[in-house]
Amino acid sequence: MSKKSFATLGIESSCDETGVGLYSSDRGLLAHKLFSQVDLHAEYGGVVPELASRDHIQRTLPLIRETLKVSNIKLEELTGIAYTAGPGLSGALLVGGSIAQSLAWGLGIPALGVHHMEGHLLAPLLDSSKPQFPFVALLVSGGHTLLVEVDGIGEYKILGQSLDDAVGEAFDKTAKILGLGYPGGPALAHLATRGEEGRFYFPRPMIDRPGLDFSFSGLKTFARNTYIKFPEEKASIAKAFEVAATETLTVKCRRALEQTGFATLIVAGGVSANLTLRQTIDEMAKKLNVNVHYPGPEFCTDNGAMIALAGHYRLISGQRNDHYEILVKPRWNLEELEAI
Ligand code: KG4
Ligand code: ZN
């Protein structure tokens, strides 16, 4: 590596995935490794915070070693360490934060706590065809549904958000009602491919009202009531739910694009892996002549690469944690971030 290059290690531990990534200023993403705790939490039907923290403790260092090895980079060559400081489960965040801060201290390099949703928001920039600022971002994960006006890195204005369940949470809860495993989103999407479109019609929450906020908690109740009446029609119920959720998201994206006049949309976070959502958004964007960017499939759900990237931009602009305090922010508003 040349002397002037930067190599940022990223650590993600906000929920049920341990992710590590390594981003270099001259060669881009060098490697990333992930360990999913899905099997650990499956028997409880959801994430058990204490088990998540304990597992992150076991996984993080081996994943860091593997990532460095695949990248052919030595620990001493790192120039900064980024970790997810929030939002997320506090115990889980503390694991990543402690490891990042201790390593940085030992190596004499800066550490920086980054915002998990900024990681998702910037994940499409890992792609070779990068979206250009400004753009509208739809962030759809298990904990958040946000429509954001993005004028640059750290220049975020929240245009709309869910007033109750996040859309990923609605997928997971509806999947649970239908007796599908955890995590439910991908399982529900899979079942929906066998459903009959139009067999049931679910409401599109809040699209008849002005504004860009969402509400998804009613959809799962609708799913439950339909399932009680038609228990043999799971696949068509899954389909009706998926179509209603994705059309609602698409209508609000269209409104946000019209309102801002922006010509670029990015869609990121776990639910952006959903193919029905991508199809519906692509059709809308084509009509509006808008470019849409999605992260690659492995960068939609939680991963360390997006944290390495977000941390990299901030670290090279001089941002870092002030001192050796292990900073975590389980609740953290995206709009509070500093611009770079
Ligand atoms: O971004 P993410 O990995 O974690 C959070 O930050 O929450 O998102 C996880 C969410 C879960 O609710 C999961 O069910 C959902 O994303 N998800 C999907 C799909 N893949 C993941 N939802 C619908 N369709 C999918 N293909
Ligand atoms: Zn996430």
Side-chain angles (χ1 to χ4, degrees):
M1 276 184 27
S2 72
K3 273 220 157 136
K4 273 185 215 139
S5 68
F6 292 87
T8 305
L9 186 75
I11 302 173
E12 157 61 32
S13 72
S14 66
C15 190
D16 58 350
E17 245 111 32
T18 320
V20 173
L22 181 51
Y23 192 86
S24 135
S25 52
D26 36 38
R27 287 187 286 145
L29 182 69
L30 298 179
H32 78 107
K33 296 279 165 193
L34 190 76
F35 183 85
S36 167
Q37 301 178 353
V38 162
D39 294 342
L40 182 70
H41 301 292
E43 65 175 297
Y44 303 97
V47 180
V48 184
E50 181 60 22
L51 293 183
S53 313
R54 290 185 201 186
D55 205 60
H56 287 307
I57 293 173
Q58 289 189 316
R59 307 289 171 190
T60 310
L61 286 176
L63 286 182
I64 292 175
R65 281 192 204 102
E66 261 186 75
T67 306
L68 290 169
K69 193 171 167 204
V70 176
S71 309
N72 207 13
I73 295 265
K74 294 193 194 73
L75 199 56
E76 300 72 39
E77 289 177 285
L78 294 177
T79 56
I81 304 186
Y83 65 94
T84 304
L89 303 169
S90 49
L93 293 167
L94 272 169
V95 176
S98 314
I99 293 174
Q101 198 63 264
S102 316
L103 264 181
W105 192 31
L107 294 167
I109 57 174
L112 180 70
V114 306
H115 195 294
H116 181 80
M117 298 312 289
E118 179 173 66
H120 279 303
L121 192 155
L122 298 177
L125 295 172
L126 287 165
D127 211 87
S128 51
S129 82
K130 297 182 183 9
Q132 301 292 315
F133 298 107
F135 52 73
V136 170
L138 173 69
L139 305 180
V140 277
S141 72
H144 296 84
T145 308
L146 297 170
L147 256 174
V148 191
E149 176 181 324
V150 181
D151 293 297
I153 294 177
E155 296 176 57
Y156 308 134
K157 187 175 159 215
I158 295 177
L159 303 171
Q161 58 192 310
S162 180
L163 303 177
D164 42 53
D165 292 352
V167 67
E169 192 180 354
F171 266 90
D172 294 338
K173 287 179 175 170
T174 303
K176 207 169 190 174
I177 290 166
L178 298 178
L180 307 173
Y182 150 88
L188 187 139
H190 184 68
L191 179 65
T193 58
R194 292 197 273 117
E196 180 193 333
E197 184 146 16
R199 171 74 184 88
F200 300 107
Y201 184 88
F202 280 32
R204 275 67 171 146
M206 295 181 67
I207 59 168
D208 52 350
R209 283 192 232 168
L212 295 169
D213 287 333
F214 305 92
S215 163
F216 288 107
S217 71
L219 277 182
K220 65 166 190 291
T221 314
F222 208 87
R224 181 182 290 116
N225 295 340
T226 313
Y227 183 48
I228 290 169
K229 276 196 223 148
F230 303 94
E232 71 293 350
E233 301 219 42
K234 273 196 208 181
S236 295
I237 295 170
K239 183 84 191 169
F241 167 84
E242 191 185 48
V243 169
T246 55
E247 277 186 11
T248 304
L249 292 168
T250 306
V251 167
K252 300 280 166 143
C253 283
R254 193 187 67 218
R255 259 184 223 172
L257 288 161
E258 285 165 353
Q259 189 175 309
T260 55
F262 292 174
T264 305
L265 171 70
I266 71 114
V267 185
V271 184
S272 69
N274 186 281
L275 296 179
T276 304
L277 176 65
R278 289 185 177 214
Q279 215 174 9
T280 320
I281 292 223
D282 287 345
E283 280 164 21
M284 175 275 294
K286 205 171 162 197
K287 283 188 203 141
L288 289 191
N289 208 11
V290 157
N291 293 313
V292 193
H293 295 256
Y294 304 94
E298 57 193 333
F299 304 126
C300 291
T301 42
D302 292 349
N303 65 86
M306 68 185 195
I307 301 304
L309 179 78
H312 174 79
Y313 285 127
R314 291 189 170 277
L315 282 160
I316 61 171
S317 80
Q319 291 184 19
R320 54 216 55 217
N321 286 2
D322 278 348
H323 33 67
Y324 293 110
E325 169 200 28
I326 296 159
L327 178 80
V328 299
K329 295 185 176 188
R331 297 176 73 84
W332 192 3
N333 186 334
L334 194 64
E335 284 182 333
E336 288 169 18
L337 298 188
E338 269 178 60
I340 63 167

